[in-house]
Amino acid sequence: MKVTILGATGLLGKVLMREWQGDEVVGLNSRDVDIRDPDNLEEVVEKTRPEWIVLAAAYTNVDECESHPDLAFGVNRDGAVNVAKAAQQIGAKLLFLSSDYVFDGKKTSPYETGDARNPQSVYGRSKAEAEVRLLEVLPECCIARTSWLFGTGGKCFPDTILKLAETRPALDVVDDQRGSPTYTVDLARAIISLCRAQASGIMHATNARDCSWFEFAREIVKGARLTTEVRPVSSQQMARPAPRPAYSVLSSKSLQHYGIAMPTWQDALQRYLQERKN
Ligand SMILES: NC(=O)c1ccc[n+]([C@@H]2O[C@H](COP(=O)([O-])OP(=O)(O)OC[C@H]3O[C@@H](n4cnc5c(N)ncnc54)[C@H](OP(=O)(O)O)[C@@H]3O)[C@@H](O)[C@H]2O)c1
């Protein structure tokens, strides 16, 4: 199978490149092709002619998206539509990475794939609008929503917590946002399985079980055998430019349909800490 990964230098993309064995995989970053440029994209896709395109390229700084909506919609929505059109022209299948931020966070039980989108941030809106447009252009495409990504090879929450914990006696972390941390290695494996299974439609792909950022930070510090105190605070005390959903746990039913079971985030965290040490 021939596969092209857009966003191959990102947190997820790097791991996808490493994990994807046994197929012919080409990885591209923003210097190889800017997904906002449809002509450039068509040219590149025409040259590589993959059976699957995995679109992991995005403008992912959620807070910066608030002050740069043109960039957010330009890359995350319009860029994604360009990719879908290029895929359509050569008959390639598309797997698009989306986010838990397409939801408003008002539910108290896991979000199902068919639940209504109601994004609260510019980033969330750019992803939600991309999903709607992609399903119009390529009804058979696969949309994999994930959340709270962490992994080696880039900036992520556990890495930030560990760096801070080494220099500070105490850390304040928000305790009123719940979600599912997701290890890039486990997500990459799920994506590879979905492509091999010719999956289509909306998928929710996160590590199993949920926690608050505070609970996640406490487990990170404990796992690294550090003594830093972790204190729970509210989102109001830690105001940030982009609003975050208070609850964005995603139901695993869609993955179960494909026989895919993601490990728990606690198990994933142990493997991440080990990988970070090596
Ligand atoms: N991180 C999370 O917590 C999280 C949560 C939910 C969903 N997601 C989604 O998961 C996917 C992967 O996220 P990530 O954290 O791995 O992203 P990331 O680390 O920010 O990497 C972004 C990738 O996109 C590429 N890129 C950016 N703008 C581009 C453009 N205009 N044209 C072509 N390529 C461009 C970058 O290339 P350069 O290296 O050349 O800049 C890089 O390879 C994204 O769709 C993201 O929205 C992430």
Side-chain angles (χ1 to χ4, degrees):
M1 180 159 85
K2 283 175 84 177
V3 180
T4 295
I5 295 169
L6 296 167
T9 45
L11 194 65
L12 173 64
K14 276 187 203 152
V15 180
L16 269 171
M17 293 300 295
R18 191 183 75 199
E19 290 290 318
W20 208 318
Q21 303 292 327
D23 287 308
E24 202 182 313
V25 183
V26 172
L28 304 171
N29 63 22
S30 66
R31 280 176 301 281
D32 302 314
V33 58
D34 186 334
I35 61 170
R36 289 171 296 177
D37 177 348
D39 295 335
N40 187 203
L41 196 55
E42 265 175 42
E43 215 174 280
V44 167
V45 166
E46 187 59 48
K47 214 186 300 167
T48 50
R49 292 200 79 85
E51 284 152 78
W52 271 96
I53 298 175
V54 176
L55 178 49
Y59 179 43
T60 58
N61 189 318
V62 174
D63 287 324
E64 276 183 14
C65 282
E66 293 297 308
S67 47
H68 297 87
D70 290 354
L71 193 52
F73 286 105
V75 177
N76 296 347
R77 180 194 59 199
D78 304 341
V81 173
N82 290 339
V83 175
K85 286 181 177 164
Q88 192 190 35
Q89 276 195 358
I90 59 153
K93 298 188 181 74
L94 173 66
L95 185 145
F96 170 66
L97 267 302
S98 190
S99 165
D100 54 332
Y101 287 13
V102 301
F103 296 121
D104 59 18
K106 293 189 179 131
K107 269 187 89 171
T108 51
S109 60
Y111 279 94
E112 301 296 340
T113 53
D115 281 339
R117 303 173 186 92
N118 188 21
Q120 302 296 298
S121 61
V122 169
Y123 172 79
R125 268 175 32 226
S126 70
K127 286 289 190 182
E129 289 182 22
E131 288 188 1
V132 173
R133 293 295 320 280
L134 289 195
L135 289 167
E136 286 165 7
V137 177
L138 268 185
E140 295 302 308
C141 76
C142 183
I143 293 173
R145 294 181 185 139
T146 190
S147 64
W148 298 22
L149 278 192
F150 68 96
T152 56
K155 206 168 164 266
C156 66
F157 182 78
D159 187 57
T160 305
I161 289 294
L162 290 171
K163 284 181 179 148
L164 290 174
E166 277 164 17
T167 56
R168 294 193 195 172
L171 297 175
D172 293 339
V173 185
V174 295
D175 195 28
D176 54 5
Q177 292 167 24
R178 289 195 86 75
S180 298
T182 303
Y183 189 25
T184 47
V185 172
D186 294 334
L187 178 59
R189 289 174 184 164
I191 288 170
I192 296 165
S193 299
L194 286 170
C195 291
R196 289 188 175 145
Q198 308 293 337
S200 81
I202 299 177
M203 303 289 147
H204 284 174
T206 69
N207 275 121
R209 300 204 192 138
D210 59 87
C211 59
S212 70
W213 289 111
F214 159 73
E215 289 163 357
F216 190 26
R218 198 175 49 184
E219 208 60 26
I220 293 163
V221 168
K222 194 171 125 204
R225 298 186 203 289
L226 295 168
T227 52
T228 315
E229 185 192 356
V230 184
R231 297 182 300 222
V233 293
S234 70
S235 305
Q236 262 185 340
Q237 288 170 274
M238 302 280 265
R240 295 176 78 176
R244 266 75 173 166
Y247 180 93
S248 64
V249 181
L250 305 179
S251 161
S252 61
K253 278 185 206 149
S254 50
L255 279 194
Q256 282 164 16
H257 178 75
Y258 284 91
I260 301 169
M262 300 272 282
T264 64
W265 67 261
Q266 291 94 334
D267 175 83
L269 176 61
Q270 293 312 314
R271 285 179 284 127
Y272 162 80
L273 290 172
Q274 193 56 47
E275 187 189 346
R276 194 174 178 271
K277 250 197 260 169
N278 297 337

